[in-house]
Amino acid sequence: MPEKYFSKLIKTNFSLKLNIVANFLGNAVMTVASIVFVPIYLHYIGIEAYGLIGFFISFQAVLLIMDLGLSLTLTRELAVRDGVAEKAQESRNLLKTLEIIYWGVALSVGLLWFLCVPILTSWVNPNQLSSETVRTCFLIMSLMVVLQFPTYFYQSGLFGLQKQVLVSLITIFSSLFRYVGALAVLHFVSNTPQTFFIWQVISSVIQTSALVICIWMSLPKGTEPTKFQKSLIGDIWKIASGMGAIFVINLFLWQIDKLVLVKILPLETFGYYALASLVATAIYRLILPIFQAYLPRLTQIAEKAETETLTRIYHQGCQVMAIIILPLSAMLIFFSKEIVFVWQQDLQTAENIALLVTLLTIGYALSSLLYIPYALQLAFGWTKLYLYILIVTFILSIPATIFLSHYFGATGAAVAVILIYALPIFVLIPLMHRRLLPDQMWKWLWEDVSLPLIGAITVGILGRFLFVGDISQTMTVIQLGVIFTMVFGITCLVTPYSRHWLLSKMSAS
């Protein structure tokens, strides 16, 4: 019986709405698990051992540069071929070809990490952990690099096949296995850092294996044995290189403010800025699930040249993004001090980063408006426009960030972030619509952006005016919850897609 349901799950193509929900659910479980279990781990292994974990997590973010755009390329190319019977063998060969390249990169990076273990061991300065313990942990991490790096690749492939529900289930079960299992081995087996990292290796083996099995089972059967097909690399290289360049530049844009500030500001002040950035980037946990659901759908429609359907799904995606992102952004903009205080329980910290959270949230909210238009460009295999605009933005961002940071400190850097993400909107959006969806620019500006933005800001300002301060924490949380509900509700009512959906559900009942 379990095999029957698993096979059915593999073959089922779920709706776009269910895929979005599944993406959110998988991200939510990972986020909650990390919040709940990290303090418990600290009790068992100590802050120094957790520092090693933090070092590895930071390295993983840098490691994504080595992806070279292959994962996002796999998403697009499998989406293009999905459901086309004569492309079945090509899909299998494409996955095999990119899979071999990806594992080659993973093994190379893992080997480099292994060879650099002596340097890494001398780089850190532990007080309680022995050098041998640190060295062993770094050696185990070299295995984790090899095993964890390909997970994003296989997840992206399943996204292209619109198997977000399957990815979500794997994410949920592997996260629970990783976090709960780590707690169990630390409690019942050994509370050493080595034990913790060994369990992470075991968890990575299981997660990666599950993804490998699922993606190959999800692909249609081929007419011949699957093989490495070199010609496919030439076919996709142009778009893959464009995606890779876009990702790398975006990564540098994401970090340019911090790279400048860490040199200019005292470390304590920079710490406040980093904390503010952590709060503001919470909205990115909501952006990616929407982008991952709409990219394969837009790609398939673009491939079929169904202009009317493409236009409808595009505006729907932009409005869904606005409905999800703008209410949370409004709360972080107008109630940054209260939200940070509830989270940190420290009034000084809340006061120091409130303005920074507000400004950074504005910048990151602006960037969220670019994701569905970017997905539309990827659907057509058009990366040149976005890449050129990012290059210009990056060149301008360096002197702007340095100048504003030098004269206005952390506040100036946050303003620079707003400018960095505002420029592509004013340049990219008109040019993109002119080529891909003529006559849709003003509809995007009014229905997809202005209406939800006006709704969120209006209720946010009203909530700020009616907010009662100097009360208990419980009442503060209740007020914030009520105001967010109002902001979200009004945003949904003024946005055409969600309003029509609500009215159809009411009339049906």
Side-chain angles (χ1 to χ4, degrees), residues 436-453:
L436 300 182
L437 290 178
D439 304 323
Q440 295 300 315
M441 169 67 188
W442 296 110
K443 183 174 181 178
W444 175 87
L445 183 61
W446 177 245
E447 294 187 0
D448 302 352
V449 176
S450 297
L451 286 178
L453 182 62

Side-chain angles (χ1 to χ4, degrees), residues 60-75 94-110 145-157 208 211-212 228 233 236 240 244 247:
Q60 280 185 303
V62 177
L63 186 63
L64 286 176
I65 295 177
M66 301 302 296
D67 179 85
L68 302 175
L70 291 178
S71 294
L72 205 52
T73 301
L74 183 65
T75 299
L94 175 67
L95 177 59
K96 173 62 69 176
T97 302
L98 296 184
E99 182 181 52
I100 292 173
I101 296 173
Y102 217 87
W103 275 102
V105 174
L107 289 170
S108 299
V109 176
V145 168
V146 175
L147 294 167
Q148 286 193 13
F149 183 48
T151 58
Y152 182 62
F153 172 78
Y154 290 114
Q155 287 176 343
S156 298
T208 304
L211 289 169
V212 171
F228 182 93
I233 301 176
I236 66 171
F247 179 82

Side-chain angles (χ1 to χ4, degrees), residues 23-83:
N23 287 347
F24 277 123
L25 186 59
N27 277 272
V29 170
M30 281 198 302
T31 302
V32 172
S34 63
I35 293 173
V36 171
F37 283 95
V38 166
I40 303 175
Y41 294 157
L42 287 174
H43 173 72
Y44 283 96
I45 62 177
I47 188 63
E48 283 194 347
Y50 190 75
L52 295 177
I53 300 173
F55 180 85
F56 180 75
I57 293 173
S58 298
F59 177 80
Q60 280 185 303
V62 177
L63 186 63
L64 286 176
I65 295 177
M66 301 302 296
D67 179 85
L68 302 175
L70 291 178
S71 294
L72 205 52
T73 301
L74 183 65
T75 299
R76 182 189 182 279
E77 296 303 316
L78 288 184
V80 167
R81 295 164 175 80
D82 188 31

Side-chain angles (χ1 to χ4, degrees), residues 249-262:
I249 295 174
N250 263 322
L251 185 63
F252 280 109
L253 281 174
W254 181 263
Q255 299 295 337
I256 186 67
D257 55 332
K258 302 172 189 66
L259 293 174
V260 171
L261 284 179
V262 75

